[in-house]
Amino acid sequence: MKLKSKLLIIAGSDSSGGAGIQADIKTATALGVYAMTAITAITAQNTTGVKSIVSIPPREIFKQISFSVQDIKPSSVKIGMLHNVGVIKEVIKAIKKHKLKNIVIDPVMVAKGGQRLISNSSINFLREKLFPYALLVTPNIPEAEALINKKIKTLDDIIKAGKQILKFGPKFVLIKGGHINKSIIEDVLISKNNIKIFKNKKIKTKNTHGTGCTLSSAIASFISRNYNMNESCRRSIQYVHKAILLNPKFGRGHGPINHMALLN
């Protein structure tokens, strides 16, 4: 497969390989995109949960980004786990210095097993200082609730939440509807002038570790290949759906999905 574009990934490492930077690299590679990385934190985890999190010094994160993009300019950027305010500040500094574009932010806040991964002060800083640089923000329902400090229970609530998150500065918001108890998942893409709902049948499985990381990386990958936002989201949602459907059933907890699903 010929590599079609370049993606910079700024995210945490998942030692079990199902989420984080490992899932991001697998996704980009499967979609024909060259992946560069800046690692923000190292986690010790497996499918049953997170054992520990060690932050990388913020200045080192800035250096990872700068040294990479000075040599190979990315077509798009995916931002995942930013563990604290110091890290967020250095990422913003790098974005401004290198004029990075097409930024997709997955506001990682809670691990699949329920562990909190970010503080309230970091959520506020992320929302107010980083979101204005975003082309797209991709929260799930609990993350969207944390961003707007309101409960989300219906499709109408999702749309209202998306419009509220738009006020923080991103051009688009994709709220993932998997946490609502329905047989059909409704992922909602919201922009200033448009609302697009992507529907998929919910797959009954516990093996969904890394779906959020994978979806945001897939969207950033398709954007880097010059697909428009609607098409990037549509293709990425279908990719993740197939990756869940063909999951390898590894581990005793929330197992990984199959990033090579499109190659089967």
Side-chain angles (χ1 to χ4, degrees):
M1 180 189 286
K2 184 180 178 183
L3 289 170
K4 300 174 178 71
S5 56
K6 298 156 288 181
L7 171 66
L8 172 65
I9 303 155
I10 304 168
S13 167
D14 170 7
S15 61
S16 73
I21 216 115
Q22 287 84 345
D24 298 329
I25 295 169
K26 291 172 190 177
T27 299
T29 304
L31 299 177
V33 175
Y34 180 76
M36 298 178 285
T37 64
I39 296 174
T40 59
I42 297 168
T43 67
Q45 63 177 292
N46 60 27
T47 64
T48 66
V50 179
K51 180 75 171 173
S52 64
I53 302 171
V54 177
S55 293
I56 302 297
R59 189 65 190 164
E60 290 303 315
I61 296 166
F62 177 85
K63 287 178 186 176
Q64 288 179 76
I65 297 167
S66 291
F67 212 59
S68 295
V69 305
Q70 284 168 7
D71 187 35
I72 303 173
K73 191 75 173 177
S75 318
S76 63
V77 180
K78 178 262 168 84
I79 299 176
M81 180 182 174
L82 302 178
H83 194 42
N84 57 49
V85 169
V87 170
I88 299 168
K89 285 181 177 178
E90 291 296 324
V91 169
I92 292 170
K93 193 189 299 182
I95 289 169
K96 289 165 72 174
K97 179 176 180 179
H98 301 289
K99 298 180 172 61
L100 300 175
K101 305 292 185 188
N102 294 328
I103 296 169
V104 175
I105 299 175
D106 178 20
V108 179
M109 296 177 186
V110 181
K112 190 68 71 182
Q115 294 89 345
R116 188 74 178 264
L117 300 174
I118 189 171
S119 66
N120 285 330
S121 60
S122 297
I123 292 172
N124 292 337
F125 201 84
L126 183 79
R127 185 176 56 195
E128 292 163 20
K129 302 296 185 182
L130 185 59
F131 278 16
Y133 295 97
L135 174 63
L136 172 71
V137 178
T138 64
N140 59 28
I141 300 278
E143 289 160 352
E145 289 176 338
L147 289 168
I148 65 167
N149 296 313
K150 287 180 187 172
K151 281 289 177 188
I152 297 169
K153 295 181 179 178
T154 66
L155 181 60
D156 191 49
D157 289 343
I158 289 175
I159 293 168
K160 286 177 182 175
K163 288 180 177 177
Q164 195 169 336
I165 293 168
L166 281 178
K167 292 177 182 176
F168 298 119
K171 300 285 190 301
F172 296 88
V173 178
L174 178 69
I175 298 184
K176 300 166 287 188
H179 284 79
I180 288 182
N181 191 21
K182 287 184 178 179
S183 59
I184 299 294
I185 293 176
E186 294 170 316
D187 299 315
V188 186
L189 178 65
I190 300 137
S191 62
K192 188 177 179 181
N193 301 313
N194 194 38
I195 295 167
K196 173 74 175 171
I197 300 172
F198 302 93
K199 296 185 179 183
N200 265 300
K201 189 174 181 181
K202 185 177 277 188
I203 301 164
K204 290 184 179 179
T205 178
K206 65 176 183 175
N207 297 318
T208 56
H209 183 55
T211 48
C213 306
T214 300
L215 180 65
S216 53
S217 288
I219 296 169
S221 294
F222 283 118
I223 287 168
S224 78
R225 292 175 53 181
N226 294 318
Y227 287 94
N228 65 35
M229 184 59 71
N230 270 17
E231 187 63 9
S232 294
C233 289
R234 186 191 71 79
R235 285 173 176 255
S236 299
I237 289 165
Q238 288 305 312
Y239 166 64
V240 172
H241 184 79
K242 190 173 182 185
I244 296 170
L245 202 60
L246 298 176
N247 79 79
K249 299 177 177 61
F250 293 159
R252 293 175 287 112
H254 295 283
I257 61 176
N258 182 357
H259 294 94
M260 299 297 111
L262 293 183
L263 304 180
N264 285 311

